[in-house]
Amino acid sequence: MVARAGRTRLWVLIEHPGPWPHSAPEGVLPSRLVDRIEAVTGHVRLVLIRRSRARTVERPRWVLAWSDGTRHWMREGTATGYDELADLPFDTCAAGIEPDTGLPCHTPLFAVCTHGKKDACCAELGRPIVSALSTIDGADVWECTHIGGDRFAANIVVLPDGLYFSRLGPESARAVVIEHRSGALSLDHLRGRAALSQPGQAAEHAVRSATGIVAVDALEYVSETPSAESVTIVELRIDSRTFRVAVRAGAPRPAFSHGCRSGGTVAWNDWIVDSLEELPIL
C-alpha cells in the first residue's frame, strides 16, 4: 500500500450528517457548490464529514486544508447553509494562499472513511475505529466519505498534512493517532503523503524506514527529476539531511476482486526503490 495515497493538495471538508449515497458528495450538496470546486485547477478533493452520532446539523462546519508536503495551513468556519459555501475562495486556496475567511486551525483533524454505500469495507472496518478514537481526549475525529483506497481499509487521513494511514484496526488506529499527536509517524501504517506524487511518497517512506526518522515535521524539501527508463530521481531533505532516491514503477499486478461486498476489481503496480543515498553536506 506504500505510495498509494491519492494526489491532493487542497482538501475541502463540509459537514453533512447523511445519509451518504454512493455518489456523495455529488447528489448531496448543491450542484453550484460542487461545480465550483470541480472547476478549480489543481489537486483538490471534496469530502463530506460528520460526527458519528449527529442526525441534524444547524450550522455545518467547513474546513479548508492545504499542504504542498513541507508547508501547510488549515482554516475552519460554519455556514448558515450549503449554498453560501460556493463563495469560498477555492481557486486561491488551491494555489496555496491562506484565506482570511474563517479561523486558523492548529489542531490536527483525523478523518476516518466510513462511506459504506461506496464500499462496505469502509463502514464495517471504519466505524469501530471511530469508536476507538473517540476515547482519546482532545482528538478531533470525524467520519468522512470516500478518500480512495477501499482495498486498504480502514483508512484515516490526517489534516492539514494530508497523511494517509491504512490497514488499521481499533488498536492500531489508536496508536497511530496517539503517535501523531506526539509528533511521530507510524511507518507500519503510513500509506503516503497526498501532497506528493507517488514516487515522492515512495521516496519519503524509504528514507524514513532506512533512517528511523519519524518526526511528523521533519520533511523540509522535495524535488523530482524524470530520468531514463521511467525512473524518477527524488531528492529530499529530512531532518537537515539530504537524500537522493531512484524510484520506478514495477510491473502491473493482475486485477483482483476487492471490497467486502463491492464485487469490483482493481489492478495496480508497486513502486520500487532502486537506490537510496545520503548526499554529503556542502
Side-chain angles (χ1 to χ4, degrees):
M1 71 177 179
V2 172
R4 306 309 305 186
R7 189 76 183 268
T8 307
R9 288 199 167 183
L10 175 64
W11 295 80
V12 182
L13 277 58
I14 298 175
E15 185 177 8
H16 186 281
W20 295 335
H22 182 277
S23 61
E26 292 186 7
V28 175
L29 299 175
S31 57
R32 175 173 173 262
L33 171 57
V34 175
D35 292 345
R36 269 278 286 118
I37 297 170
E38 290 183 345
V40 175
T41 301
H43 303 287
V44 182
R45 184 181 288 271
L46 170 61
V47 178
L48 299 182
I49 58 174
R50 67 186 175 198
R51 296 298 191 189
S52 58
R53 296 183 180 180
R55 294 295 178 263
T56 60
V57 177
E58 293 183 2
R59 293 183 59 87
R61 181 183 178 188
W62 58 264
V63 177
L64 298 173
W66 179 88
S67 175
D68 66 358
T70 59
R71 298 174 296 129
H72 59 258
W73 52 259
M74 186 159 61
R75 310 283 296 196
E76 64 178 352
T78 60
T80 57
Y82 296 113
D83 287 309
E84 71 180 68
L85 296 178
D87 296 324
L88 288 172
F90 301 116
D91 294 281
T92 54
C93 289
I97 300 172
E98 184 173 357
D100 294 331
T101 307
L103 297 173
C105 183
H106 304 294
T107 301
L109 186 152
F110 301 93
V112 182
C113 182
T114 60
H115 196 172
K117 292 292 179 65
K118 184 75 174 181
D119 190 291
C121 284
C122 295
E124 294 179 13
L125 301 178
R127 285 174 185 156
I129 287 180
V130 174
S131 297
L133 298 184
S134 67
T135 63
I136 301 176
D137 289 341
D140 191 14
V141 181
W142 295 78
E143 296 186 26
C144 73
T145 52
H146 181 63
I147 52 176
D150 302 336
R151 62 192 181 277
F152 304 129
N155 294 296
I156 293 177
V157 171
V158 185
L159 298 174
D161 309 80
L163 294 167
Y164 274 73
F165 295 94
S166 300
R167 289 183 174 150
L168 294 165
E171 290 306 312
S172 58
R174 279 181 52 84
V176 162
V177 170
I178 291 170
E179 284 185 62
H180 186 278
R181 281 160 55 87
S182 70
L185 298 175
S186 174
L187 295 183
D188 288 344
H189 294 278
L190 178 62
R191 188 165 128 206
R193 186 184 298 268
L196 305 182
S197 70
Q198 290 183 339
Q201 294 173 38
E204 179 183 8
H205 199 286
V207 170
R208 288 182 177 275
S209 296
T211 62
I213 300 172
V214 295
V216 171
D217 59 357
L219 184 64
E220 302 168 13
Y221 169 81
V222 182
S223 71
E224 297 182 20
T225 305
S227 185
E229 300 179 356
S230 300
V231 174
T232 300
I233 304 301
V234 183
E235 286 196 8
L236 307 95
R237 186 163 60 247
I238 298 182
D239 198 23
S240 300
R241 298 163 63 183
T242 303
F243 301 86
R244 179 180 292 133
V245 187
V247 181
R248 62 181 171 86
R253 291 192 180 196
F256 69 98
S257 297
H258 76 99
C260 296
R261 291 191 296 270
S262 68
T265 59
V266 64
W268 84 98
N269 58 278
D270 292 321
W271 289 98
I272 298 173
V273 174
D274 282 338
S275 63
L276 187 161
E277 60 177 322
E278 184 170 358
L279 303 182
I281 299 175
L282 300 178

